[in-house]
Amino acid sequence: MPLEELRILIGRHASADMTTPIEGVLIARQDVSVLEPSMSGSVMALIVQGVKRLALNDRVYEYGAGEYLVSSLDLPVTGQFIDASPDRPALGVGLMLHPASIAELLLQAGAADFRDGRGSPPGSMAVCTASAQLLDAVLRLLRLLDSPRDIAVLAPLIKREILWLLITGEQGAAVRQLGLADSNLSHIARAVRWIREHYARAFRVEDVAEICGMSASAFYRNFHAATAMSPIQFQKQIRLQEARLMLAAQPEDVASIGYRVGYDSPSQFSREYRRQFGCPPSQDALRLRSVTAFPATGAV
């Protein structure tokens, strides 16, 4: 059975940072059930053992063994493997999705019928049941971890096969839009990148809409459809995520971190940080002193 062999391979090769010798491929083993904020990444995340629950603002996605989540944008999420334990760890595989690779496949296929990105974008996340073909391709990809010499030649071919199965699969519309330069999702992805790069800067929605080549009303509508939040809410999530990363590196510097991520009021920073992470930044900083690493990206 593919899932059983995948469990064995992940158990043998999983590392703390989830990376593998195959570029863009992540594998995860989680022994504890911990609720953690992170960035989703643009990724296909397949669960091999256990169940994961992922929250994007007020949207909740739950997927288990043999199911996968597609995230077509890099979004602030909160995730938890349900009931993970050392005796039965949660196991998953992730493949990062790159717009250029998707665009190349669409062009090669001459897929004019795939130009389905002119209307409102589909949700940026979706959960599907993995087909037998997809499980087989993922299994062949992870088998390469036992044959390092073959990775350079065979991994790119199998990753293209997996990507094609996603493009033509049940939730292929969201993946295809990621590769279409004039799709609404590609415009929203541009806005997401801009806000992430300038998260500490105040902005007007109209200005970001102009960067994306959209009217303010169309931009707001499409942004909310793709991310489940407004542009300002998205910026706040990014600010708080970045603040927490800074606290992990400089736990004694709580006072200035709020200003560095864009807050003018220490009380507002503390209040919103507590609402997001369950405790004020000073208290969270003490906890983070003993943590060497926590998830930064990847919905696996």
Side-chain angles (χ1 to χ4, degrees):
M1 293 292 289
L3 286 178
E4 182 56 36
E5 188 173 349
L6 283 168
R7 293 182 188 109
I8 294 171
L9 286 166
I10 293 173
R12 184 155 62 235
H13 294 284
S15 62
D17 64 1
M18 300 194 299
T19 60
T20 71
I22 306 174
E23 182 183 0
V25 175
L26 310 172
I27 56 176
R29 174 191 170 112
Q30 181 66 272
D31 296 333
V32 294
S33 184
V34 178
L35 192 67
E36 284 287 3
S38 67
M39 297 301 296
S40 67
S42 296
V43 68
M44 182 281 290
L46 171 70
I47 297 297
V48 174
Q49 181 169 283
V51 176
K52 185 162 190 180
R53 185 176 297 140
L54 203 68
L56 172 63
N57 203 19
D58 58 355
R59 298 177 189 170
V60 177
Y61 303 87
E62 189 167 295
Y63 51 118
E67 296 180 315
Y68 66 94
L69 177 137
V70 168
S71 175
S72 52
L73 294 173
D74 188 15
L75 299 171
V77 295
T78 301
Q80 180 180 25
F81 283 106
I82 308 301
D83 297 330
S85 68
D87 293 334
R88 188 171 175 79
L91 305 172
V93 183
L95 175 65
M96 305 307 296
L97 304 178
H98 300 294
S101 299
I102 297 168
E104 180 184 355
L105 280 175
L106 292 175
L107 287 172
Q108 183 177 347
D113 292 341
F114 285 162
R115 301 189 69 79
D116 46 14
R118 300 184 186 277
S120 296
S124 56
M125 288 188 176
V127 171
C128 314
T129 299
S131 65
Q133 296 95 322
L134 181 59
L135 288 175
D136 176 69
V138 173
L139 176 57
R140 284 185 280 112
L141 184 64
L142 289 203
R143 281 175 179 163
L144 295 178
L145 296 175
D146 286 335
S147 305
R149 183 184 63 179
D150 299 331
I151 288 175
V153 174
L154 297 181
L157 303 177
I158 302 174
K159 286 194 291 183
R160 282 171 60 86
E161 178 185 352
I162 292 171
L163 197 54
W164 181 249
L165 291 172
L166 296 177
I167 287 171
T168 58
E170 179 183 348
Q171 296 294 335
V175 180
R176 294 191 293 270
Q177 284 204 40
L178 193 59
L180 296 173
D182 63 346
S183 73
N184 282 333
L185 190 64
S186 70
H187 295 313
I188 299 305
R190 191 181 311 154
V192 165
R193 287 193 298 272
W194 189 92
I195 295 172
R196 289 204 65 189
E197 291 170 1
H198 305 88
Y199 64 85
R201 180 194 304 180
F203 65 85
R204 297 190 316 136
V205 171
E206 292 81 1
D207 294 335
V208 183
E210 185 176 353
I211 291 171
C212 297
M214 304 175 78
S215 70
S217 59
F219 169 70
Y220 190 94
R221 182 176 64 253
N222 283 280
F223 192 96
H224 193 278
T227 67
M229 62 190 84
S230 71
I232 300 302
Q233 287 175 315
F234 181 86
Q235 181 193 44
K236 183 199 301 184
Q237 293 282 316
I238 299 300
R239 283 179 170 180
L240 293 172
Q241 294 273 21
E242 292 295 327
R244 196 164 194 249
L245 288 173
M246 292 179 189
L247 281 172
Q250 300 171 294
E252 72 287 344
D253 200 21
V254 174
S256 67
I257 284 176
Y259 292 107
R260 288 162 60 189
V261 300
Y263 283 94
D264 294 326
S265 166
S267 60
Q268 183 188 13
F269 170 57
S270 181
R271 182 170 61 253
E272 293 188 356
Y273 192 101
R274 181 170 188 163
R275 185 180 300 127
Q276 177 70 17
F277 300 117
C279 60
S282 56
Q283 183 177 331
D284 200 29
L286 292 175
R287 189 181 74 84
L288 291 173
R289 289 178 191 272
S290 60
V291 178
T292 56
F294 58 90
T297 189
V300 176

